[in-house]
Amino acid sequence: MTEVKLERIGKSYGAVEAVQEFDLTIEDGEFLVLLGPSGCGKSTTLRMIAGLESITTGDLTISGTRMNDVDPKDRGVAMVFQNYALYPHKTVFDNMAMALKLQKVPVEEIRDRVGRTAEMLGLTEYLERKPAALSGGQRQRVAIGRAIVRTPKVFLFDEPLSNLDAKLRVKMRMELQELHDSLGVTSIYVTHDQIEAMTLADRIVIMNGGVVAQVGSPREVYDSPADEFVAGFIGSPSMNFIDLRRGAGGGWSSTEGGLRFESLPFSLGDRSEIRLGIRPEHVVITPHAETGANGGSFEAEVRLAELLGADALLNLDIEGCRLTARVGGTGHSRAGDRVQATLPTPLLHAFDIPTGKALPRLVS
Amino acid sequence: MTRNRPRIGLYTLAIIASVISFLPIIWLILTSIKTTAGIYAWPPQYLPAPVTFQNYIDIFTKSPELLLYVLNSLIVGLGTTIVSLSLGGMAGYALSRLGMRRAGVLMVFILAVSMFPPVSLLPSLFQTFLNLGLLNTYTGLIIAHTGLFLPFSVWMLASYFATLPKEIEEAARMDGMGFFRIFWSIVIPLSWPGFVATGLIVFIHSWNEFPLALVLMTQNAMRTAPVGISLYPGEYAFPWETISTATVIAIVPILVITAIFQKQIVGGLTAGTGK
């Protein structure tokens, strides 16, 4: 039973607080992804768990043992680095066997364990090669193999796929997923790539400026972002944000004009301004049939149509209010077309403007 | 065509620089194969006529101590190189990689030490070595030379280590290596171009070092090549043929080593300046 517990973990470099009050329990066998833009503290958090970075405040426990001052090698963790970090002057076999050799595991057992891992990762024929003679994908596999051989309690991945090209990244992502399914080892994975996060994670921790912005399943962070940052960070292209002002009659209209809502299904309190969010894929486009604003439907002009292949992005102008909509890639509207854009109320998000926090939806 | 013009200028400059630095050596070599009459001829003889190797034969038969001088230089040079690389490597690694506090200040101190002119150290060094019985010993001169060249070794190796990807050392820590083990089995094998370059430069400097070698090695049998050769001139005679021949013999090892390792020297000096 491997449970990794971070209790109010913090890291500061002098006056700079890189990570603040990180509080999280990672369950046995869970695949947890730390996601965020660069400099958000996700790698620092991972390195604190690994023991490569000291912990300024708070407690780290793995399987109930406090690990703050334990040497990296004694924490039962193995790490896969972004740039592989293989020993260039040693063979693949020696790279994978190093930790076991240092643990004084009998030679026979080392050969057996490295052999089995190499077979699992398809590296058997490369065992005698040096890393320089391998492709990027193979090198990363060796790095993963080196972690597996140690049979750690926790796997730590620091952006392991970002050095690979797009095609290989998808393939390795799937391999990682299969690997996790078959080994079932608790894994903590750092990435800035939201697709990796969405596809791999049991739970995603989204970080921003050293603080946890939201913890949740991929579904939760996509459907119910806790704040504007998460809403904008998850999803590509990112969510449309429109500032709304309360009118004299109680209705809401966008400050740039164009959008008008009689009421919104959020507990808005006595706010006079809010920020509305809608994902491009949730904007419904229909050929121009009826006119005028009508229950979340607006007349729009297509200003720009960008074909992505399967999808197309339409840049819409609703009387001065600009929105992006994602539509099917075939037979979509062209620039200059007039269309009807519908913003379905159940798919809207609302945020408090000063704090960026999501406003709770009214239970109907 | 206009694109070639800077090239031509560049080559001209490079050729001028090479000629200026090589002219003395070429003159030296030419002198060593002239006859005594040719050396003192007026107008000066530019190319030796006749070419003679008698000077080389003479020097090995008449003044065999030259071989001893070269051997002394070799022992001192190698000793200095080995000690400088060991200490400089460990110090450089600690200063550049182990997250020491005030490492930058220490590095500047180390550099400041090397700014003393060696001559200013001589009186106290001589007295100390005399008291310790280190005069006329290889150990003594190796210690003195190490003192001179260690700052350079520390700086050069520290900057080389700084170019190694940190993750490799971190991976080694995760694998369970201690700092010394990481240094020994990861850092040293990956930094050998830096070690080769640093070692060669230290060796060459030790080989050519004059003031300390002159003062700390007073017995003829312990003299290094540059000192020994410089003492050839007698009170009344200036044996140019002997001096030039001996000098050629003394610089041959350096030239050979430099020619073999020039790639490593340049690579080591420019490490980290690009990917």
Side-chain angles (χ1 to χ4, degrees), chain A residues 221 225-235 238-239 241 279 349 351:
Chain A
V221 295
D227 61 22
E228 206 186 311
F229 171 78
V230 175
F233 194 76
I234 295 280
S238 66
M239 187 183 275
F241 292 107
R279 295 197 182 279
H349 302 266
F351 304 96

Side-chain angles (χ1 to χ4, degrees), chain A residues 47 73 83 87 89 99 102 150, chain B residues 167 170 172 174-176 185:
Chain A
R47 291 166 57 82
K73 68 174 198 297
N83 60 4
Y87 309 126
H89 57 304
L102 291 166
R150 297 173 52 185
Chain B
E167 287 82 357
E170 288 176 345
M174 304 281 307
D175 270 348
S185 51

Side-chain angles (χ1 to χ4, degrees), chain A residues 47 50-52 72-73 77-79 81 83 85-90 98-99 102 146 150, chain B residues 165-178 181 184-190:
Chain A
R47 291 166 57 82
L52 295 172
K73 68 174 198 297
V77 300
M79 184 149 164
F81 294 84
N83 60 4
L86 300 175
Y87 309 126
H89 57 304
K90 297 196 180 289
M98 183 56 77
L102 291 166
R146 172 166 72 175
R150 297 173 52 185
Chain B
K166 223 178 168 129
E167 287 82 357
I168 296 183
E169 288 158 64
E170 288 176 345
R173 268 181 77 193
M174 304 281 307
D175 270 348
M177 288 190 204
R181 181 98 189 222
W184 187 253
S185 51
I186 306 292
V187 174
I188 291 180
L190 296 185

